[in-house]
Amino acid sequence: MRTQVVIIGGGPSGLLLSQLLDKNGIDSVVLERKTRDYVLGRIRAGVLEVGFVDLMRKAGVAANMDAHSFTHDGTIIAYNNEQFRIDFTKHTGTPVVVYGQTEVTRDLYEAREVMDGKIIFNSENVQIHDAETNAPYVTFDAGNGEERIDCDYIAGCDGFHGVSRPTIPDNIRRDYEKSYPFGWLGVLSETPPVNHELIYSSSDRGFALCSMRHENLSRYYIQVPLSDGVEKWSDDAFWDELRRRIPQEFADKLITGPSIEKSIAPLRSFVSEPMQWGHLFLCGDAAHIVPPTGAKGLNTAASDIHYLYNAFVDFYRNNNEDGLKTYSNRALARIWKAERFSWWMTNLLHRFPDQSGFDLKMQRADLEFLRDNEAAQRVLAENYVGLPY
Ligand code: RFL
Ligand code: PHB
């Protein structure tokens, strides 16, 4: 088999790239290790930057998003019983869009199907060969023995645990990492959201976030120790703890119900440089991870896809390799800013096990400065709605 671009990973990054390439007449094959249902079963991101929304539009997959998403002009920041609001639209002219990663991925799968896009599910033992040459190829086994696809380029969109990043030799790759001493316990429930905008809450008992998917589907998170397992948290225990961590006004009107999904995610900051090696390009979680506090994971994946698909279009249409050559530097320049913002939001709002009295005072001063200072609010708003591509 031969194609122009082999895409490893059928998550949002890989699907968006294959859809955008197809729209521009560039042929690709997506190799996904799991099944479509498995990929759609993962409950992850909920907040999209306008840059992401624009890409969905360019990819021709905006119809459901336009019909069913919410536009949010701001967010509430709470600490203990106090709260203030950051107005994104006032400070930046731009809102964010609340639409789930599950829905984004489903819409992309449907669009790929309509366009007859080639996605090979259950692709085991994917291996990248000769990526540093002009004739790379990929081998895999999707149940019919080893198969081979020859290609011009390979896009590694296979997430944090994929094969693409480790293919880049150790003497070329440098990883930067920070892990945090806590995780997020997330619950999805078929209940109306407690507020029409998100609430990021820093309480003495730890961080909490109130988010949503639609009018009758809420997504809530609380910071928990890494040693906690999901089984430790009954639904009742979760709701009680959430109520204690958000301002009384919201605790009083929180509507609870059975959880339909409950999981714990560790928090990590991670960047691998460079994001290109020969004819292999890394995108999304394959190259970088942010803690979810700034809602940047999926959005940074989208900016990578923006740079890469434009570079491919320029190469195949105009025989111009500049975009491909500069991909890693351009993508990383934006990634590091999103890493900084996510790290800062995480430090601002969480309780750390070894926090001293001084550290707590600094956190409080940071929050009160943000509450009182328009320039600080604007900085948060600019980062939250997404820095320009
Ligand atoms: P994914 O989604 O991990 O998809 C990678 C795909 O590659 C497949 N794969 C392989 N396929 C073939 N061969 C192999 N060897 C393979 N290894 C892996 C996998 O099966 C999978 O289908 O990476 P991608 O596409 O780069 O997308 C990244 C996003 O999923 C991620 O950044 C976000 O979910 C992060 N994130 C958030 N991002 C936001 O922008 N806004 C948010 O509000 C937000 N909230 C979150 C989040 C992530 C969370 N968790 C659980 C990590 C909230 C949470 C709780
Ligand atoms: C979500 O709705 O899942 C969500 C929203 C905002 C975040 C992280 C997760 O910062």
Side-chain angles (χ1 to χ4, degrees):
M1 205 189 309
R2 189 182 159 84
T3 188
Q4 290 171 304
V5 183
V6 170
I7 298 173
I8 305 175
S13 301
L15 295 171
L16 187 57
L17 180 62
S18 70
Q19 178 70 8
L20 285 161
L21 292 181
D22 202 350
K23 283 264 167 194
N24 286 277
I26 301 165
D27 191 48
S28 71
V29 175
V30 175
L31 299 177
E32 167 55 50
R33 191 173 50 181
K34 304 282 189 182
T35 61
R36 177 182 166 142
D37 285 349
Y38 177 91
V39 176
L40 291 177
R42 292 182 296 208
I43 309 295
R44 289 182 162 186
V47 177
L48 308 182
E49 297 174 353
V50 281
F52 191 105
V53 172
D54 286 348
L55 274 185
M56 290 286 279
R57 233 177 270 299
K58 286 202 179 93
V61 279
N64 281 332
M65 184 180 69
D66 286 342
H68 301 295
S69 63
F70 297 120
T71 297
H72 282 196
D73 291 313
T75 192
I76 303 283
I77 307 271
Y79 52 104
N80 290 328
N81 222 5
E82 303 199 37
Q83 54 171 295
F84 58 95
R85 180 170 181 271
I86 310 266
D87 191 324
F88 305 142
T89 311
K90 180 178 101 183
H91 289 295
T92 68
T94 307
V96 290
V97 167
V98 172
Y99 191 61
Q101 179 167 335
T102 312
E103 287 71 27
V104 166
T105 313
R106 181 205 58 210
D107 296 348
L108 285 164
Y109 271 130
E110 283 172 6
R112 294 314 296 131
E113 233 163 56
V114 170
M115 290 179 75
D116 257 343
K118 189 135 181 72
I119 303 176
I120 304 177
F121 292 102
N122 300 310
S123 292
E124 297 280 351
N125 198 21
V126 172
Q127 285 181 45
I128 297 168
H129 306 269
D130 295 351
E132 75 283 26
T133 73
N134 285 332
Y137 64 98
V138 177
T139 53
F140 63 99
D141 185 339
N144 306 312
E146 187 175 286
E147 295 178 68
R148 165 176 172 149
I149 312 182
D150 292 279
C151 56
D152 301 331
Y153 293 102
I154 298 159
C157 302
D158 46 354
F160 186 64
H161 301 287
V163 292
S164 300
R165 188 179 66 255
T167 300
I168 303 180
D170 286 349
N171 63 341
I172 290 182
R173 207 179 82 218
R174 176 145 183 214
D175 295 347
Y176 300 83
E177 180 157 22
K178 180 178 176 59
S179 40
Y180 300 85
F182 40 73
W184 277 18
L185 168 65
V187 157
L188 191 68
S189 74
E190 285 170 325
T191 51
V194 69
N195 187 43
H196 67 286
E197 291 178 342
L198 272 61
I199 303 169
Y200 287 87
S201 187
S202 168
S203 94
D204 289 340
R205 300 181 65 91
F207 172 76
L209 170 62
C210 306
S211 183
M212 68 199 70
R213 292 295 176 269
H214 56 69
E215 304 80 358
N216 199 41
L217 193 58
S218 297
R219 182 70 167 156
Y220 297 104
Y221 298 95
I222 57 172
Q223 169 190 350
V224 293
L226 277 176
S227 52
D228 281 11
V230 191
E231 63 295 337
K232 190 188 156 204
W233 287 91
S234 67
D235 286 0
D236 284 346
F238 178 85
W239 295 122
D240 285 346
E241 188 58 32
L242 179 64
R243 269 194 216 93
R244 292 191 195 105
R245 293 188 189 190
I246 57 179
Q248 197 62 47
E249 168 196 344
F250 297 113
D252 288 345
K253 58 182 188 204
L254 179 73
I255 298 176
T256 64
S259 63
I260 55 171
E261 196 267 355
K262 195 189 280 169
S263 51
I264 295 183
L267 268 68
R268 173 189 288 132
S269 298
F270 174 86
V271 181
S272 185
E273 293 188 346
M275 287 171 62
Q276 178 205 357
W277 179 57
H279 285 222
L280 168 66
F281 296 85
L282 303 182
C283 304
D285 280 15
H288 43 76
I289 298 284
V290 287
T293 325
K296 288 282 160 256
L298 184 58
N299 291 304
T300 46
S303 62
D304 294 349
I305 300 302
H306 164 85
Y307 296 126
L308 190 57
Y309 109 83
N310 279 302
F312 279 138
V313 170
D314 214 22
F315 171 71
Y316 283 110
R317 216 175 262 167
N318 310 318
N319 205 22
N320 181 356
E321 278 188 274
D322 290 354
L324 291 173
K325 286 192 178 133
T326 55
Y327 167 74
S328 180
N329 285 343
R330 292 183 72 196
L332 283 165
R334 190 174 188 276
I335 294 306
W336 277 114
K337 290 179 191 144
E339 290 283 342
R340 185 208 68 83
F341 176 64
S342 307
W343 162 83
W344 174 77
M345 279 277 276
T346 303
N347 281 299
L348 178 72
L349 298 170
H350 290 74
R351 283 290 174 277
F352 288 72
D354 57 356
Q355 232 166 352
S356 68
F358 181 82
D359 295 337
L360 285 167
K361 286 284 188 193
M362 287 300 98
Q363 221 177 26
R364 172 60 75 104
D366 216 352
L367 276 164
E368 292 186 349
F369 183 71
L370 183 61
R371 179 195 62 193
D372 299 335
N373 189 286
E374 290 269 319
Q377 291 185 11
R378 178 157 171 221
V379 169
L380 189 152
E382 279 185 11
N383 281 280
Y384 197 90
V385 303
L387 298 174
Y389 283 177

